[in-house]
Each structure stands twice: as C-alpha cells, then as structure tokens.
Amino acid sequence: MWQEMLPNAWDGILSRIRSFECSQRNAVLVPVAALSVGGMLVYWLRSRHKIKTIEMGNGWWGSDERPLKGKEDESICPFKIETSDKELERETQKPVEPEEPVHACLSIGHMQASGQPCKSSCPQDPHRRLEQARYTPQLEGAAFRYGFNSIYLQKVVAFWRNQFDWRKQVEILNKYPHFRTTIEGIDIHFIHVKPSYVPHGRAVQPLLMVHGWPGSFYEFYKTIALLTEPAEHGLNEGDMVFEVICPSIPGYGFSEAPHQKGFDSKATARKFHKLMNRLGSKEYYLQGEDWGSLITTNMAQMLPQSVNLIFAGREGLRRMITVMLGAYIPWLIGFTREDVRHMYPFIQKNIHELLRESGYLHIQATKPDTAGNEPSLYHYELCILTA
C-alpha cells in the first residue's frame, strides 16, 4: 500500500513547491514590472513635450561630382509605364549601358518635360529570366525552416511565367500620374494625385505618404481615392480634401538609388522636403509606415513649421507596456487566451523567433551589396504586388 501512496505524496509535495516558487516569482516580478512601467510612463510624460530638432543640411548622392556652379535642374518629368510583347518575350537581353542604370521592373516610355525626354532603362525579357531560374535541391522535410522552399518557389515562378497578367498590372500602375525629378543628383519618382472637385471655400491640403520596406508607392493606391474624392465614396463633403503625393524612397520602385555612402533617413527626409517645396507646398501633412514613419518623423524634426500634422505608424512605448502587462493581466488590455498562448513566454516565442527569422536583416544592414548582386527575381516585385 505504502509503495503506491509514496509516489503520489511525493508528486503532491513537488507540485506545492512549484506552486510556491511560482507565487514567490510572481510576487517579485509583478512589482518590478509595475515599477518599470511606471518609470517609463514618467519618462515619457516628461519628455513628450520636448521637440527634438535636427539640421536640414545638404547632400549630393549622384554618380558624378556635384556641380561647383549653377543650380540643379528642378524640372519635373511626367512619364507613363509601358511594356511590349518584344520586351516580355525577348530571347536575348540587350546590354545595359553604364550611364543607364537599372531602376525598376518594366521599361519606362519616354518621359517628356518641356519637350525634353527623360532617359531610363529597365530589365527586359522577364519571361526568359523566369524560365532560366535555378533552384537549390530541397532538404527532405525541411519545409520553410531553412529558407524559402524551392519546391514551392517553382510553383510561384510558374504562376509568374504562365498566368500573371503583366499588361494588366501596367494598366493598374498607370491609374495615377507618375513623375520624376532630380534632387541632390539622383532621380526621385513620385505620383501626384489632385482632386477633380473642390467644394467652394475649401482649401486642398497637401499630404505626403511615405511607404516602408518591403513596399512601394502602390500600397497607397486603394486609399488615394478616399482622400482626393471623399464625396464620391460616401464620405461627408465637409471632410478635408487632400492632394496626395506618394514618393518612392531612393532605391525603391522607380527612384534611383544613391551612388554615395552614408545615405540615411535624414537624407531622404531632406529630399522629400525639397520635393514638396518644388511642388509649391509650404505646409503639408505627413503619413508614414515602417521606414516611412522614421522618414516623416525626421521631416517634422527638420522643418516643424512646414508640417501641419504627422501620422506615423510607430508603436514604441505603448507596445512595450502592452506586452509587459499582457503576461499578468491579459484581460485588461484585450488579450484573448489564444493571444497569450502565442505570445508567452515572451522571450522564447518572440525574441528567439526574431533572431531565427531576421538573417535577412543582418546581411542587408551589413553587406547589402552581397544581396544586391545576387541573381534574383526582385526586380519584378513591384509588378507582382499589384496582383
């Protein structure tokens, strides 16, 4: 009899010990968490009224030397995205001249400004490139654990090659007017959409919307009409009416990439201020997500007198507090049991996951040329995103 009772009694003792240790641990962790949250709240309340300003400065990012004299060409060139059967089905690729760098996924037609064509060249023959893609043999049972599954990748490429409607995407991209202008030595692409009707006595408000990574100007396409034509979409005519400017961050979409080292969010912010000034806007609204949130924040720090309001998608302190409280009082902040199961223990399910899945981030932050020089299908991403 005692042989059977002893193991059960021992299990009960261990369970009580674990329960005591857990309660003791919570007795320590809860006050520590409360003090940490309280300290961060005090710091935030004390620092939120301080406006950090940064110098606007100047820069040059072109492939050639900055002109010693004379003013940079400030003309704005409209253009239309075009492609053709010849470009899609080309069997041999024409060599690209050094002075005509590759910028985007489809060839751009002549861009006229005051009768002067703006030059650009882009990747040709996407069908041939897709057909000649090479795949690494997949490890059995690996799924996506070691990277993108090459078996599934073949299905994706087959879709791009045989089912994807390239011309339809070109038509969609051309829904709004495109422009390019040279700022600090490199071409900056943007779309500029103005409302067709403005209510009497109402001033149109300029709104600059900046995308993030991995993204492009296209991510705003479904929002633009709501901002420029609110009455046509069931919104109150008394609501604000915007003209929307969506630039491509240098190196994204149809914007030229910098040719010099040291380019950062502040340099981009300065360029976009110059763009808005070139469009005749002295005061404007800003919206940004991901990298766009940092760029628009830098813009507000550079010229706060030019920024009416900024909508930046940055969670910061609020996110940190939510995560800390969610481990102890999930019901108070709206977490469900499923949320708690997915998020906690936080270190194992978030920090470890971040380290395991952020290899791309490290190589892009330290050796971007290594990734940039690899043969890839990245140039077609802009078109694929419109599908």
Side-chain angles (χ1 to χ4, degrees):
M1 175 76 66
W2 64 268
Q3 292 95 334
E4 296 178 359
M5 294 178 59
L6 186 59
N8 293 333
W10 180 245
D11 288 341
I13 293 172
L14 289 178
S15 176
R16 291 177 182 177
I17 292 175
R18 283 194 293 267
S19 176
F20 176 76
E21 290 177 345
C22 182
S23 63
Q24 289 292 97
R25 184 168 64 251
N26 287 341
V28 174
L29 289 178
V30 171
V32 169
L35 287 173
S36 300
V37 172
M40 287 187 292
L41 280 172
V42 171
Y43 173 79
W44 177 70
L45 290 172
R46 294 187 61 183
S47 62
R48 64 176 181 161
H49 296 297
K50 297 179 181 178
I51 300 176
K52 179 184 177 183
T53 59
I54 56 180
E55 294 293 330
M56 185 165 179
N58 210 340
W60 183 261
W61 309 98
S63 57
D64 51 357
E65 294 184 4
R66 184 173 189 167
L68 298 178
K69 296 182 180 181
K71 194 176 182 181
E72 186 174 49
D73 180 13
E74 296 186 356
S75 62
I76 296 176
C77 308
F79 71 90
K80 184 177 181 180
I81 304 169
E82 297 178 348
T83 190
S84 66
D85 291 341
K86 185 177 181 181
E87 288 166 336
L88 291 175
E89 302 290 354
R90 193 184 302 274
E91 295 181 358
T92 58
Q93 183 183 7
K94 290 184 177 181
V96 178
E97 298 297 330
E99 66 271 19
E100 297 182 346
V102 169
H103 295 317
C105 65
L106 291 174
S107 71
I108 300 172
H110 291 297
M111 299 174 289
Q112 303 290 336
S114 301
Q116 299 298 321
C118 299
K119 294 197 305 180
S120 178
S121 68
C122 307
Q124 309 287 332
D125 65 333
H127 286 174
R128 183 184 67 84
R129 293 191 180 195
L130 291 171
E131 289 171 349
Q132 293 185 353
R134 293 179 296 178
Y135 307 94
T136 302
Q138 186 69 31
L139 294 175
E140 293 184 6
F144 285 81
R145 184 174 180 81
Y146 299 110
F148 203 94
N149 186 291
S150 61
I151 297 174
Y152 185 79
L153 178 60
Q154 294 178 53
K155 298 178 181 179
V156 174
V157 171
F159 168 78
W160 291 352
R161 174 60 182 89
N162 302 313
Q163 300 178 41
F164 185 78
D165 190 341
W166 297 84
R167 292 170 190 81
K168 178 182 177 182
Q169 312 317 316
V170 171
E171 182 180 347
I172 293 173
L173 290 175
N174 282 322
K175 177 180 180 180
Y176 296 117
H178 295 253
F179 303 87
R180 285 175 79 180
T181 187
T182 303
I183 303 177
E184 297 182 3
I186 61 174
D187 290 339
I188 300 298
H189 159 266
F190 63 99
I191 59 174
H192 188 184
V193 186
K194 298 181 179 181
S196 59
Y197 168 75
V198 180
H200 179 70
R202 185 62 51 82
V204 177
Q205 305 296 329
L207 170 62
L208 181 79
M209 305 179 75
V210 185
H211 64 86
W213 185 96
S216 73
F217 61 89
Y218 177 73
E219 63 192 55
F220 302 117
Y221 266 44
K222 293 182 179 179
T223 308
I224 290 174
L226 300 177
L227 296 167
T228 57
E229 311 288 349
E232 293 185 6
H233 294 81
L235 301 178
N236 191 334
E237 289 189 1
D239 292 337
M240 297 180 67
V241 179
F242 293 95
E243 61 172 306
V244 177
I245 301 94
C246 301
S248 294
I249 298 174
Y252 291 68
F254 296 105
S255 281
E256 185 178 1
H259 298 273
Q260 310 296 332
K261 296 184 295 183
F263 192 83
D264 56 14
S265 62
K266 297 182 181 65
T268 307
R270 182 176 63 246
K271 282 178 175 291
F272 289 170
H273 269 309
K274 292 183 176 181
L275 171 63
M276 296 304 289
N277 183 68
R278 196 167 293 184
L279 293 172
S281 299
K282 303 302 180 184
E283 295 183 3
Y284 32 89
Y285 292 84
L286 303 175
Q287 189 275 334
E289 290 289 338
D290 191 70
W291 279 113
S293 69
L294 179 57
I295 293 168
T296 50
T297 298
N298 290 158
M299 291 180 70
Q301 293 169 329
M302 282 181 182
L303 295 176
Q305 69 275 15
S306 294
V307 178
N308 288 330
L309 188 64
I310 178 173
F311 306 91
R314 303 176 73 182
E315 298 183 2
L317 180 64
R318 179 181 176 183
R319 167 67 175 171
M320 188 183 303
I321 295 173
T322 299
V323 169
M324 294 179 67
L325 295 178
Y328 302 100
I329 46 175
W331 51 269
L332 184 62
I333 56 177
F335 281 0
T336 65
R337 291 184 178 180
E338 189 69 12
D339 294 330
V340 173
R341 187 177 68 83
H342 281 295
M343 289 186 64
Y344 303 99
F346 185 79
I347 297 296
Q348 289 86 342
K349 293 191 176 182
N350 292 270
I351 305 301
H352 291 175
E353 184 73 11
L354 177 64
L355 293 174
R356 183 166 56 245
E357 298 295 338
S358 60
Y360 76 93
L361 177 64
H362 185 70
I363 192 170
Q364 289 180 1
T366 57
K367 297 293 185 291
D369 283 353
T370 299
N373 288 325
E374 290 180 356
S376 69
L377 304 175
Y378 172 77
H379 297 292
Y380 307 106
E381 176 188 13
L382 181 60
C383 298
I384 303 306
L385 288 175
T386 65

